[in-house]
Amino acid sequence: MQETPFCLRVGHLLPYSMSDSNITNFINPSTFILLGIPGLEVAHVWISIPFCTMYIIAVLGNFTILFIVKREPSLHGPMYYFLCMLAVTDLVLSTSILPKTLSIFWFNSREIDFSACLTQMYFIHCFTGMATGIFVAMALDRYVAICHPLRHSTILTNPMVAKIGLAMVLRSSIFVLPYPFLARQWPYCRTNIIPHTYCEHIAVAKLACADIRVSNYYGLFLLFSGMGLDMLFITVSYIQILRAVFSLPTKDSQLKTFETCISHLCAILTFYVPSLFSFLTHRFGHNVPLHFHVLMANVYLLVPPVLNPIIYGVRTKQIRDRLLWLFTHKGT
């Protein structure tokens, strides 16, 4: 007996009738159909309000960080260079998904070109990997500043910071490259309908009518060799930092020293907690509703770009003072 096409089994997710070309068998689709948030189609316009607000805050906040660091000579140091790299990463990540997501919510523009889908997939995973690498670089900066303060300026020179940034870019760019390459090789003989707001790798892989175990194993390899090793390095760095902090003679000096790490720790938690929760629910939460998966997948990409400028703007005195100066002298 012939198997019922997958697209017919998910037909109840579609709020509008699709043309026959979207539900017939094919090998290489020219376009994919993004459903948005399945099951919450009637609320798309309302969901777009916080999404659009977060995107505006992310863009304004991260551009403000870049502007202030560029204009303020006292901020031309390793910590703030890494912060600028993080701001650029956040801008690319949020811009990779939000414009298309909002076009789905507002204009029901669900089609995305096959090549554009793979490009979006690559950018999302590539810059997510860059973000974890930048957090490692920031942890290194805090470790050297606290554990070896007299050597900080000789270890983290501008050329060294540039080399670290380049290494993060190359590592992520090369490691993520197999994702779109494998996706382009797969036959898609069931459907081209993606129950998501963007072309996430797992969501696209589930549409292939081929053995995708290689892709799944490679995804796990990237998780543990990339994010896992990065988290291990950050943990080891902070163990050394805490040992150095607790060896200081007074409570006041301990608090003042550790306060320089608070912004970095908040940014790490903002990034890792939602991303790990989204990944684990996607892999093992088989009874979790699909719309929850999609919402969490959006949250872990949208929340860090929104909160990082706020965290560093509030917690970093130099940035806060410069921002206040800009507002109080805007008329001159």
Side-chain angles (χ1 to χ4, degrees):
M1 181 178 296
Q2 186 177 2
E3 183 184 1
T4 303
F6 174 79
C7 56
L8 297 182
R9 296 200 300 269
V10 299
H12 64 285
L13 297 174
L14 303 179
Y16 308 102
S17 60
M18 298 289 182
S19 63
D20 291 340
S21 62
N22 290 333
I23 59 175
T24 53
N25 291 346
F26 50 88
I27 299 298
N28 294 312
S30 59
T31 59
F32 281 121
I33 305 297
L34 294 167
L35 292 185
I37 304 178
L40 297 179
E41 289 86 359
V42 295
H44 273 178
V45 174
W46 295 106
I47 296 172
S48 72
I49 297 174
F51 274 42
C52 184
T53 303
M54 287 192 292
Y55 182 55
I56 293 171
I57 294 172
V59 171
L60 292 177
N62 285 290
F63 269 120
T64 301
I65 292 290
L66 293 171
F67 176 77
I68 289 176
V69 173
K70 182 179 184 299
R71 291 289 299 271
E72 183 57 52
S74 66
L75 299 180
H76 292 176
M79 174 183 172
Y80 301 103
Y81 290 148
F82 291 136
L83 179 58
C84 287
M85 295 179 195
L86 183 63
V88 172
T89 301
D90 286 342
L91 284 169
V92 174
L93 268 179
S94 55
T95 304
S96 295
I97 64 168
L98 250 297
K100 182 59 183 177
T101 298
L102 292 176
S103 72
I104 295 171
F105 291 166
W106 291 341
F107 311 114
N108 199 32
S109 176
R110 298 166 184 267
E111 286 194 0
I112 183 170
D113 184 76
F114 181 65
S115 296
C117 183
L118 298 187
T119 302
Q120 185 187 53
M121 178 200 302
Y122 178 78
F123 269 79
I124 290 170
H125 291 284
C126 179
F127 279 85
T128 301
M130 286 184 199
T132 67
I134 293 168
F135 285 130
V136 172
M138 291 174 130
L140 174 64
D141 172 72
R142 291 298 84 208
Y143 165 75
V144 176
I146 293 173
C147 299
H148 305 283
L150 299 179
R151 299 173 57 197
H152 183 264
S153 59
T154 58
I155 294 175
L156 289 176
T157 60
N158 286 348
M160 179 57 68
V161 170
K163 289 176 183 177
I164 292 172
L166 180 61
M168 296 300 103
V169 172
L170 291 177
R171 183 192 73 157
S172 187
S173 301
I174 294 171
F175 276 19
V176 176
L177 197 58
Y179 274 170
F181 177 78
L182 289 171
R184 185 172 286 278
Q185 306 306 312
W186 292 327
Y188 298 89
C189 56
R190 293 192 180 107
T191 182
N192 64 339
I193 299 169
I194 303 175
H196 213 296
T197 57
Y198 60 86
C199 292
E200 188 184 40
H201 173 253
I202 298 174
V204 174
K206 287 181 177 180
L207 303 184
C209 55
D211 189 352
I212 60 171
R213 283 181 296 179
V214 172
S215 183
N216 288 335
Y217 293 150
Y218 187 72
L220 290 173
F221 166 75
L222 279 188
L223 177 70
F224 292 108
S225 66
M227 188 178 291
L229 287 179
D230 288 349
M231 291 178 67
L232 177 63
F233 187 90
I234 292 170
T235 302
V236 172
S237 298
Y238 270 95
I239 290 173
Q240 298 300 318
I241 288 171
L242 288 173
R243 289 177 59 185
V245 167
F246 287 126
S247 67
L248 295 173
T250 64
K251 291 275 187 181
D252 187 54
S253 61
Q254 291 176 2
L255 287 174
K256 285 184 177 180
T257 303
F258 190 70
E259 276 183 358
T260 63
C261 302
I262 296 298
S263 298
H264 183 233
L265 286 172
C266 290
I268 288 173
L269 291 175
T270 300
F271 178 85
Y272 280 107
V273 172
S275 61
L276 283 175
F277 185 75
S278 176
F279 178 84
L280 292 174
T281 54
H282 220 320
R283 291 282 180 179
F284 307 110
H286 302 297
N287 295 324
V288 177
L290 181 58
H291 66 264
F292 184 81
H293 283 301
V294 176
L295 282 171
M296 283 305 304
N298 281 274
V299 164
Y300 95 82
L301 290 180
L302 290 179
V303 171
V306 173
L307 293 184
N308 285 338
I310 297 173
I311 291 170
Y312 280 95
V314 171
R315 294 289 313 173
T316 308
K317 184 178 185 299
Q318 294 93 323
I319 294 177
R320 186 173 64 247
D321 291 347
R322 182 64 177 177
L323 188 61
L324 290 173
W325 186 90
L326 287 174
F327 278 113
T328 54
H329 292 74
K330 63 182 179 179
T332 60

